[in-house]
Amino acid sequence: MSSSASGVVNGGVSFWYADDGLPAVREPLSGDASADVVVVGGGYTGLWTAYYLKKAAPFLRITVLEQKFCGYGASGRNGGWLYNGIAGRDRYARLHGRDAAVRLQRAMNDTVGEVVAVAAAEGVEADVHRGGVLEVATTPAQLARLKEFHEHELSYGEKDRELFGARETAARIRVADAVGSSWTPHGARLHPVKLVKGLASVVEGLGVTIHESTPVTEIRPRHAVTPYGTVRAAYVLRCTEGFTASLKGQRRTWLPMNSSMIATEPLSEEQWAGIGWDGRETLGDMAHAYMYAQRTADGRIALGGRGVPYRFGSRTDNDGRTQTATVEALREILTRFFPSLVGARVEHAWSGVLGVPRDWCATVTLDRSTGLGWAGGYVGSGVATANLAARTLRDLVQQDSGQGGRTELTELPWVNHKVRRWEPEPFRWLGVHGMYATYRTADRRERLHPAVESSRLARVADRVAGRG
């Protein structure tokens, strides 16, 4: 962690850890061990999976293995958006039919309430505020996409979503040049680290064994291999999201996409009066290279975007340090959205990785012949999706072990979905960097040359990427 000449604290994992403190690290694995279930990865997916399995079958011996400390990855670095978005829904509609995709969307809608309810029941205080999600348009092309997006969401059964014009949008949040917005109640703001710390404590209290500072280097049927020993278990569940590429044989499974964030100083009452945002909705936009933001519990704006999207060879950073150009780009978004904050200090910047499958579809899988399971590929929508994935892994394990049967969750279309691997280097690096450069160029063109039609460049990038 370091401070720049401008006083920005850069890295140190994330602002959320600077705010709530780094945890005391739990003991590493001390030698070979055995369990009924071993969970690889101590983020939201792994901890929720351990939680629901232990609640369903208290007799299970469950071990969680985490390479650093619980929440070191995306779970401790994200934007705190607990919302109902899920990667790959449209593709699942094409593959399995509209009804199957609608069931998946309904499950995601319900998941927002599930996380809020369980956190409250377990005494986890995570600064949760259910203000919904507001996504704004600031150009004619964005407004056309917004209206199309709004209708698309209604077609998946989200009847409580609302479309606002410029005046109604400003009554909620005064974003400069906003010409419209779409709002869903299926969303909440939260403090990511308070949630992951609280969840880890709850899971440990249930009798789950958590070993930190224990990197898993290889996963084999019924074996999780670490430098300190091997844990043998009937089920080995991989919950490693953006760090999956570090495992033996998984280099091209999910691409570790970088996302970066900044957090301002606490804003004054006068500054908030000028902005509004009294509903504390999470805030996004309809740009091709989109932003995401929240009003934090202590009165800051935490805002994120892509920055440098990918490191050659699927490498991941250590401490979240962010390039100066990325910090400045995010600051530019902040002041473009809220010109009155041009003098506000940015106090913290950080980055993290999220998992991106080649077809941009989140998945949950259990191979019944090997006992190997995995969940992830959330493409940045993991705060809520991880919970639904964990409950689905629970049901799949119970079904396979004879403790349960088919459930509504095991029949969702993302279960056991197969994804092809990413291209080898340098094609991966060239493709991802070219895609985001194209998206940014498309956004600039739409701002400088307002037109109702979206930039053709973005459509080209979508086709190359294989999105949708």
Side-chain angles (χ1 to χ4, degrees):
M1 179 167 58
S2 63
S3 295
S4 68
S6 61
V8 178
V9 177
N10 196 330
V13 187
S14 71
F15 158 74
W16 310 116
Y17 277 112
D19 179 56
D20 200 60
L22 290 170
V25 179
R26 297 171 175 86
E27 291 297 316
L29 183 69
S30 59
D32 291 345
S34 64
D36 298 311
V37 179
V38 60
V39 176
V40 181
Y44 291 145
T45 305
L47 293 173
W48 279 124
T49 298
Y51 174 83
Y52 285 110
L53 275 170
K54 194 68 172 176
K55 281 285 195 176
F59 57 85
L60 285 177
R61 296 174 301 141
I62 302 172
T63 296
V64 175
L65 302 176
E66 164 55 41
Q67 68 161 338
K68 294 281 190 177
F69 52 80
C70 289
Y72 174 78
S75 300
R77 309 191 197 195
N78 64 80
W81 274 46
L82 176 71
Y83 86 120
N84 66 339
I86 185 166
R89 183 193 60 190
D90 290 349
R91 188 180 296 272
Y92 288 131
R94 293 194 295 272
L95 292 173
H96 301 279
R98 191 77 173 185
D99 288 347
V102 168
R103 286 190 285 109
L104 182 59
Q105 185 59 66
R106 286 175 179 161
M108 280 303 307
N109 296 348
D110 294 341
T111 295
V112 174
E114 170 74 10
V115 173
V116 173
V118 173
E122 297 290 357
V124 176
E125 175 48 60
D127 297 339
V128 176
H129 183 87
R130 291 192 73 171
V133 181
L134 188 75
E135 291 169 282
V136 301
T138 58
T139 68
Q142 285 191 23
L143 183 61
R145 288 198 296 274
L146 177 85
K147 291 177 178 177
E148 182 180 348
F149 164 75
H150 181 83
E151 292 302 317
H152 198 56
E153 296 307 297
L154 293 181
S155 74
Y156 281 98
E158 200 178 334
K159 302 305 182 186
D160 41 7
R161 177 175 284 273
E162 297 185 47
L163 185 66
F164 299 131
R167 185 177 300 176
E168 294 168 303
T169 301
R172 285 177 171 263
I173 308 176
R174 284 184 279 284
V175 173
D177 301 322
V179 290
S181 61
S182 180
W183 176 81
T184 176
H186 301 292
R189 172 215 74 190
L190 54 75
H191 189 301
V193 162
K194 290 182 179 179
L195 177 61
V196 75
K197 279 185 176 180
L199 184 56
S201 179
V202 169
V203 164
E204 205 166 35
L206 292 174
V208 172
T209 300
I210 301 176
H211 291 298
E212 296 180 326
S213 299
T214 306
V216 173
T217 55
E218 183 181 0
I219 292 174
R220 301 197 301 263
R222 297 169 180 82
H223 294 75
V225 181
T226 86
Y228 304 108
T230 296
V231 181
R232 293 168 174 80
Y235 300 98
V236 182
L237 307 179
R238 190 187 80 219
C239 304
T240 48
E241 191 56 0
F243 290 88
T244 300
S246 65
L247 292 164
K248 183 177 180 180
Q250 304 294 334
R251 177 76 65 179
R252 292 163 53 196
T253 299
W254 290 334
L255 184 140
M257 185 82 75
N258 279 289
S259 200
S260 301
M261 293 196 72
I262 58 174
T264 69
E265 63 185 330
L267 304 182
S268 67
E269 290 184 9
E270 291 77 17
Q271 286 171 313
W272 281 119
I275 294 170
W277 212 339
D278 296 333
R280 291 166 173 75
E281 305 91 336
T282 56
L283 174 67
D285 73 349
M286 298 305 295
H288 301 292
Y290 54 84
M291 59 77 74
Y292 51 93
Q294 67 150 285
R295 176 176 176 170
T296 67
D298 63 346
R300 306 168 190 265
I301 293 177
L303 180 149
R306 278 292 175 265
V308 177
Y310 172 69
R311 297 170 188 263
F312 190 88
S314 292
R315 288 178 288 123
T316 55
D317 74 275
N318 291 319
D319 69 350
R321 185 168 175 78
T322 302
Q323 291 189 346
T324 300
T326 298
V327 177
E328 291 306 315
L330 294 174
R331 190 197 302 267
E332 188 275 329
I333 295 173
L334 173 73
T335 55
R336 175 155 41 90
F337 271 53
F338 306 110
S340 63
L341 299 185
V342 69
R345 286 186 300 113
V346 170
E347 286 195 345
H348 210 119
W350 70 100
S351 296
V353 292
L354 49 102
V356 181
R358 188 61 184 85
D359 65 357
W360 303 74
C361 289
T363 57
V364 182
T365 296
L366 181 66
D367 185 338
R368 302 184 73 171
S369 66
T370 63
L372 297 178
W374 57 89
Y378 304 133
V379 195
S381 299
V383 179
T385 314
N387 178 275
L388 178 61
R391 286 182 283 131
T392 306
L393 276 176
R394 170 202 61 194
D395 289 0
L396 289 170
V397 168
Q398 289 206 287
Q399 179 184 358
D400 184 70
S401 62
Q403 296 166 24
R406 296 164 67 176
T407 69
E408 290 183 4
L409 299 186
T410 63
E411 299 303 301
L412 291 175
W414 69 333
V415 173
N416 295 329
H417 174 73
K418 291 180 173 57
V419 184
R420 70 181 176 92
R421 291 156 66 83
W422 281 88
E423 291 80 1
E425 297 291 21
F427 303 108
R428 247 185 355 263
W429 189 92
L430 290 169
V432 174
H433 279 261
M435 176 183 69
Y436 274 100
T438 303
Y439 283 146
R440 292 190 188 98
T441 300
D443 286 329
R444 282 196 298 272
R445 286 188 178 182
E446 289 178 3
R447 287 199 301 272
L448 294 173
H449 307 288
V452 173
E453 185 177 345
S454 293
S455 171
R456 293 177 182 177
L457 284 173
R459 293 200 294 274
V460 171
D462 282 343
R463 285 198 295 271
V464 171
R467 303 177 80 168

